[in-house]
Structures are given as C-alpha cells and as structure tokens.
Amino acid sequence: MATLGQDPKRLGIFFFFDAQGIADSYVEALLADMVKNLSELVIVVNGELTAKSYAKLSAFTDNIILRENKGLDAWAYKTALESYGWDRLVEFDEVVLFNATIMGPVYPFEEMFTEMAGRDIDFWGITWFHKVPYDPFGHAAEGYLPRHLQSHFHAYRRSLVSSKAFQDYWDNLPQMNSYEDSVGLHEAPFTQRFERLGFTSDVYVNTEDLEGYTFSPVLFAPKRLIEEKRCPIFKRRSFFHDYQDLVRQSVGNTSLDLYEYLRDHTDFDTNLIWDNALRTMNMEDLVKNLQLTYVLPTQAVIREPKPQKVALIAHLYYMDLLEPTLAYVTSMPEGTDLILTVGSQEKAELVEEACKDLPYNVTVRLIENRGRDVSALLVGCKDIINDYDLVCFTHDKKVTQVKPYSVGDGFAIKCFENLLATRDFVTNVIATFDAEPRLGLLAPTPPNHGDYFPLFSMGWGPNFERTKTLLEKELNLNVPIDEGKSPIAPLGTMFWFRPAALKPLFDHDWTWEEFPPEPNNIDGTILHAIERAYGYVAQASGYFCGWLFSDSFARIEITSLSHYVQDFTHAVAENGILGYEDDMVSNLYRRGVELRRLKKQAERWIPRPLHRPLLKAFSRVRRIGS
C-alpha cells in the first residue's frame, strides 16, 4: 500500500462509446477537468467516431485508440493497458480508468484526488455498489454479488499495477460479449478478488450508511451523494433507466431530485445533460424518469414570467361551439395576439363580430378547408409563427363518431382545461417555459376514458411507420423513436410550444395540396403522423417535451388512473397472478402466450364450424384459472 506524494504521476484511460460516434458537450466538460489531475491521457473508442468528435477528443490528448466495438469497456481498458505494456505502466503512481457513463464534475475532481492521495491504499473508486444477496447475472461463483467499486471509475496504485496477480488478471481477461458478462465476470468480482489477495481498497464517497437502503446509491440516492457527500459525478443512466425498475426500488423521485438539485443548487450546467439526452434518449424515458409532468395552479400565480411575445392560434370550424371556445381563449393575458383561422367568409364575419369587444389584438384569417387544424397551423400561419416566443395552439372540438357524445365532449374538456383553464393558469404556463429554456412543448396527455381508453397506452395506432418516414425522410431529422414506447405527442392537436422548437416543421413549407381533402375520417394519414411528430421535432431541435395539467383537472386524472390500476390489479390477481407490478405483467404476458399456443393446438382438432361459438364461449369465462 502507499500514499501519493505532492505531484503524483497519473495515467488516465478514458473509454468512450456512442452509437452515432458523437462526443457531446458533457464529455468535453468531464475531460477538461479530469486532465488537470493527469500526467497523460489515452482515450479508447469502441466503434465509430465522427471527424468532428475526433477533433474534440484530440484537444485533450494525441493518444486516441480506435477499435472495433467488441468486449465493451473491459476490453477497451485492456487494449489501452496493452498499448503501454507493464514496464511503462509501473512508472505511474496511479492508473485511472473512467468512462462516458458518468457526467460531471459537479465539484472539481481535484478535491477528490487530493483527498484520496493521502489514503494508504492499493486501489479505489468513487462509488460503491452494495452487496446483492443473489446473482442477477448468472456468473457469481458464490451465488451473490459482493460489494464492489463501480467500474465507471477505478484508480490503481503502483503497488497493485506492479503485482503479478493484477497483470495476470488483465492478460487473461475473458472476452466480454454482453453487459451481463462485463458486470458479472469483471466489475462485480474485481474488488473482492483483489481484497482477498491482500490488497486494500477504498471509496471516495462513503455510503456505508446507505447499505440496506439501496444497492446502487449513485442511481437511487444521487442527490444525497452530491449534496451531503460532495460526490463529483452522477450517472448518465439516471435519465433513461428502466422506469419499471425505478418504481420497484423507489417512489420514482430519484432522477427528478437529482436534476432539480443540479439545476438549482450547483454550478453544473444542465444543458450538458440535455445536449446528450435529447440526441440519444427516447422522450418517453425522459418524461418518466424526470417526471416531466407539470401540474400548475389555476387560482394563484407561482411567479410572474418575464415579458415575452405570446400568441394564441385557434382554428374555428364549428360555429355552434364559438361561444364556449372563446370563453377558454379569454384566459390568455390581455393584449395578446389572437390569430383565428376559419374556412369561409361567412364564418369569418361571425368570428369577427363575436370578438369585437375582446381585449386582444384579433386577426381572423380565411384559409382552405383542407387539412383541418394541422394545415391551419402549418400552412395558414407559417408566415407569422416566428414572430412569437411562445404560442398556444388550439381548435374547437366536436366528436360525433363516438357515442354517447359526452365521451367526445370529455376529450375536448380535457384539452381545454389543461391548456387554458384560467388566466392564472396561463400565466403559470408562460412562467414554466420561462424557467426551463430547454422546454419546447407542453400538451395534455391522451384521453383515457370511454372509447379512448386504448389510445392512452397505444398512442401510435397505425401511424408509427408514417411518422418515422416523415421525421427521417421528409424532415431529415435524426431522433430516437421506438414503436415499443408511447409517443409523447399532443393527440388532441392542442398544445403550447416554442416556435423555435418546431422550426423544422414550419421550414418544410407545407402546401394545402399535401393534406387529404374532406371528408376525411380515416386514421393513418399525414395529419395523424404530424400530430405524433410534434414532440419529436422539438426533441430533434434540442428541446424537451412534457405533459401539462391544471391542478383542478389533475384530481380527475389521478382518480381515473388509480381506478384503472386497481381494477386491472384485482382482475389479474383473481386469475392467480400475483407479485410486483412487473412480475404480474410478465406473468400475464406468459399466460397469454400459453393461451395462444393452446388455441392453435385446439384449432387443429376442433372442427372449423365450432371455432367461432367456442371462441365466444371462451371469451365469457372470467377466470382463466391455473
């Protein structure tokens, strides 16, 4: 064991991988502070690296190793160690391995290195992963995961690097073919292996007080580590972690707590998070992990926003709904520009008469009756959209294809009550955009009542491929989009947005002819693709999206969702499927697969004329049974 002197000689080995070969701004910030504490730096890149990103990394070192994307982080480190050789490596007082799965520093790395230099140890890390009494990866010889230093940062002193045991370990490290291999074969057993050989380890952020609280404090108590223990880093994974695991191990608060603490109480630039997250992460993951659901007061103002140029654009089609629609419109601040689009001269005259005494700057625009509210915005108002900092887009809504009509009216109520509930609410919406400059779009969640219930969970419908084509081929936007994740989209086509966030959509220069003529009552058209694309256009432009609720309607939403969860849980439990939510879901899927298998078998020997009556009888059986 050894402490380090006043000016230790350190080698840094930085592992980098990005599916698109792009090094974002957070990587530059991480390296810029880290190199202040290193004598040399080598960067190992798995896979591709763009020329621009190569130039960024070259600012920190001339030693960049590009290699095939094989073996994950462990073999990238092995490659760098081999490139130096053991004779050169033992010349360093410390060899530091770190990678791009961490973000920081929240506090200067110098604090950490200075503190650890005085400790008499052989190797150390920043954070512990606490002992797990079982083996989730299937590689542990003793059936559990021992407490270990997390491999996003390892520091090895000369006393360890010069040992035959350490050198043999890296020389004979097996090929890593998966994340499970990397953790189960390398990261998890590494610390215990060398401790048992007599080497001493330590950690900068002591989380012994959190043993039993969480296995992974850096993921499930990141704010506490930063606030109370001056942890200089946090995990990039905090913003896209599987939410199912998050609510299994916490109440779902950890990522939001981290982000808000970084934003409000540290000097860390949260734009570094957004630059990477919006390019690489699915918006649904961001919305869930960061709780990007805004519930705003209707009867009080949180704070006054700074002066901005705000407009409301409304497409008005049903003149019998003009009065109730304008009642919501008047929640806008006095003096706001109102741009109202209509499809005929007769309607224009009716709207102008209805608005003549309103305290707004009202403009009534005559547009073509083609493309409905979507074309009203993208074609009818494209010439003035860039005049504003913030826009609320809405339209009157009458749904007659759903019976009873109260169901469709409920959809309209949900949209209006969560966009234009009161004047105080609108002020709070504007203030929210003011407080979050990377916020690009807010909309109510999809409806979940009556006939709309499936839409809440299956928002793509038949529109995924058309939306993907629109984004990638027609708008030339590269953004994470996944049919297995729900779209974060204003499915009522009513929302608040920054025109800057939707600039690529307006720059497309749409024409009336690109939209289907009336009557148009089918799903899967360009109208439905655009409706689902709004949020992804904002994301591709560097802005995040979120859900918007008034406090008054949030009560209804929480009650409805609680009812659905309880109803489904009771139904599933009555059929013998119990456990955690994710266990119940998994078991239900497996039960469904088995039932489909049995159905196919039965169809082979049951006469075809009996298929339909038996299927009807089967559907009436409430209990599946075991």
Side-chain angles (χ1 to χ4, degrees):
M1 294 190 296
T3 58
L4 298 184
Q6 194 68 15
D7 188 21
K9 186 178 180 182
R10 285 195 187 93
L11 169 66
I13 301 176
F14 177 63
F15 164 62
F16 177 77
F17 168 77
D18 180 82
Q20 300 173 36
I22 296 173
D24 285 313
S25 52
Y26 87 92
V27 175
E28 294 177 276
L30 184 75
L31 292 176
D33 196 78
M34 185 66 75
V35 294
K36 297 175 184 177
N37 306 278
L38 304 175
S39 307
E40 293 183 30
L41 173 68
V42 55
I43 298 176
V44 190
V45 178
N46 279 10
E48 300 295 322
L49 188 67
T50 66
K52 184 176 180 181
S53 293
Y54 189 93
K56 286 182 180 181
L57 298 183
S58 296
F60 303 102
T61 181
D62 294 328
N63 193 355
I64 300 176
I65 301 173
L66 303 177
R67 65 186 298 272
E68 189 179 358
N69 184 25
K70 291 178 62 176
L72 291 92
D73 57 341
W75 270 59
Y77 294 137
K78 176 178 167 67
T79 300
L81 293 170
E82 290 173 346
S83 75
Y84 272 77
W86 296 116
D87 289 343
R88 285 188 63 199
L89 287 168
V90 296
E91 295 175 2
F92 294 95
D93 297 300
E94 203 161 59
V95 177
V96 177
L97 280 56
F98 65 111
N99 62 46
T101 66
I102 58 175
M103 289 182 161
V106 182
Y107 310 109
F109 285 125
E110 183 182 13
E111 289 185 17
M112 175 180 72
F113 281 109
T114 300
E115 165 64 26
M116 299 307 291
R119 299 190 191 180
D120 194 11
I121 51 179
D122 297 300
F123 64 109
W124 60 279
I126 299 179
T127 52
W128 287 121
F129 193 97
H130 294 300
K131 178 181 176 180
V132 180
Y134 53 88
D135 177 18
F137 303 112
H139 293 302
E142 298 175 35
Y144 68 92
L145 293 188
R147 184 180 76 162
H148 58 273
L149 301 172
Q150 292 185 279
S151 63
H152 49 241
F153 183 99
H154 275 188
Y156 308 135
R157 297 273 166 87
R158 182 186 286 116
S159 56
L160 179 65
V161 176
S162 61
S163 70
K164 186 176 186 302
F166 182 82
Q167 294 175 11
D168 286 347
Y169 175 85
W170 284 102
D171 287 342
N172 299 300
L173 188 72
Q175 174 74 43
M176 304 295 166
N177 298 312
S178 66
Y179 170 79
E180 288 75 17
D181 283 353
S182 184
V183 176
L185 294 174
H186 169 60
E187 179 179 12
F190 181 91
T191 305
Q192 186 184 72
R193 177 192 187 101
F194 286 97
E195 286 178 337
R196 285 177 171 177
L197 290 172
F199 296 97
T200 302
S201 72
D202 204 352
V203 69
Y204 177 62
V205 180
N206 188 335
T207 53
E208 291 178 357
D209 57 323
L210 294 177
E211 286 208 53
Y213 177 80
T214 176
F215 299 129
S216 179
V218 76
L219 266 185
F220 290 94
K223 175 188 174 232
R224 189 182 302 189
L225 266 57
I226 292 170
E227 181 181 20
E228 300 176 8
K229 303 174 186 291
R230 291 188 72 80
C231 182
I233 57 96
F234 54 95
K235 293 289 281 185
R236 178 176 169 270
R237 172 173 287 277
S238 291
F239 309 109
F240 68 89
H241 192 64
D242 183 357
Y243 193 72
Q244 193 171 71
D245 186 50
L246 199 67
V247 293
R248 186 166 186 166
Q249 297 195 49
S250 73
V251 75
N253 62 306
T254 59
S255 300
L256 178 62
D257 288 350
L258 166 66
Y259 174 74
E260 291 186 336
Y261 186 79
L262 292 170
R263 182 193 64 194
D264 299 336
H265 300 287
T266 76
D267 294 329
F268 187 82
D269 183 2
T270 53
N271 282 307
L272 301 178
I273 299 172
W274 290 119
D275 288 345
N276 177 254
L278 294 170
R279 180 180 65 82
T280 65
M281 302 176 196
N282 188 277
M283 186 55 67
E284 187 194 34
D285 291 331
L286 291 170
V287 166
K288 287 182 175 179
N289 279 277
L290 286 168
Q291 308 296 339
L292 300 178
T293 298
Y294 295 82
V295 180
L296 303 179
T298 52
Q299 302 301 323
V301 173
I302 304 171
R303 67 178 181 85
E304 291 291 341
K306 67 182 180 184
Q308 298 181 66
K309 195 162 185 188
V310 181
L312 178 136
I313 299 175
H315 179 56
L316 305 176
Y317 181 81
Y318 300 103
M319 291 299 100
D320 58 318
L321 296 180
L322 183 57
E323 182 178 348
T325 301
L326 290 179
Y328 280 110
V329 168
T330 55
S331 292
M332 294 294 288
E334 290 189 12
T336 298
D337 289 356
L338 303 187
I339 299 95
L340 310 177
T341 60
V342 294
S344 71
Q345 183 60 43
E346 179 185 2
K347 291 180 180 178
E349 293 171 0
L350 288 171
V351 171
E352 287 171 350
E353 176 63 25
C355 295
K356 65 180 181 180
D357 295 325
L358 296 181
Y360 302 102
N361 304 314
V362 180
T363 301
V364 180
R365 289 195 161 202
L366 186 60
I367 63 169
E368 290 192 27
N369 185 27
R370 184 182 181 118
R372 301 185 179 180
D373 47 274
V374 175
S375 62
L377 176 63
L378 298 182
V379 183
C381 297
K382 65 184 176 183
D383 59 317
I384 50 91
I385 201 72
N386 290 326
D387 295 341
Y388 300 99
D389 301 309
L390 194 61
V391 172
C392 178
F393 178 62
T394 189
H395 59 90
D396 50 20
K397 194 168 190 64
K398 180 187 290 187
V399 182
T400 57
Q401 67 268 30
V402 177
K403 304 294 191 300
Y405 294 156
S406 57
V407 176
D409 188 53
F411 190 2
I413 290 170
K414 180 170 187 176
C415 291
F416 281 114
E417 284 294 320
N418 293 306
L419 289 177
L420 296 162
T422 65
R423 193 163 290 186
D424 282 351
F425 175 78
V426 169
T427 299
N428 290 328
V429 173
I430 298 170
T432 300
F433 277 92
D434 184 24
E436 285 284 11
R438 297 298 288 267
L439 174 59
L441 183 149
L442 285 177
T445 58
N448 51 50
H449 66 285
D451 287 16
Y452 295 112
F453 178 75
L455 184 66
F456 189 76
S457 299
M458 293 173 278
W460 285 114
N463 302 290
F464 178 78
E465 289 300 331
R466 184 68 186 89
T467 306
K468 186 176 174 66
T469 298
L470 169 65
L471 292 166
E472 295 179 356
K473 308 295 185 189
E474 298 171 43
L475 300 178
N476 296 313
L477 300 178
N478 186 7
V479 65
I481 181 171
D482 185 342
E483 192 170 12
K485 295 182 183 292
S486 298
I488 306 302
L491 297 189
T493 325
M494 300 193 201
F495 53 102
W496 282 87
F497 69 97
R498 292 185 199 274
L502 298 188
K503 189 175 185 300
L505 202 53
F506 287 98
D507 285 350
H508 184 70
D509 203 24
W510 299 89
T511 63
W512 300 110
E513 291 71 29
E514 292 179 82
F515 297 95
E518 298 295 339
N520 175 33
N521 294 316
I522 59 170
D523 202 351
T525 70
I526 186 62
L527 299 176
H528 302 90
I530 292 172
E531 184 178 43
R532 285 154 180 81
Y534 284 124
Y536 296 105
V537 173
Q539 183 178 357
S541 300
Y543 296 87
F544 68 88
C545 308
W547 299 126
L548 179 61
F549 284 98
S550 65
D551 55 6
S552 54
F553 195 91
R555 296 179 302 172
I556 299 170
E557 187 78 357
I558 291 170
T559 300
S560 297
L561 294 180
S562 297
H563 167 75
Y564 297 145
V565 169
Q566 292 167 352
D567 224 20
F568 271 91
T569 303
H570 285 307
V572 173
E574 284 181 11
N575 285 282
I577 301 174
L578 301 169
Y580 289 103
E581 181 269 344
D582 53 324
D583 290 334
M584 296 175 79
V585 170
S586 297
N587 289 333
L588 190 59
Y589 275 125
R590 282 195 291 270
R591 187 72 63 86
V593 169
E594 178 64 15
L595 286 172
R596 287 192 293 273
R597 185 185 67 80
L598 292 173
K599 179 176 178 291
K600 285 183 178 179
Q601 283 185 343
E603 286 175 348
R604 294 193 186 103
W605 56 268
I606 295 175
R608 182 167 293 277
L610 294 178
H611 283 183
R612 186 176 296 276
L614 283 174
L615 186 63
K616 283 185 177 180
F618 181 75
S619 68
R620 294 192 194 103
V621 179
R622 184 178 180 187
R623 291 180 60 87
I624 299 172
S626 56

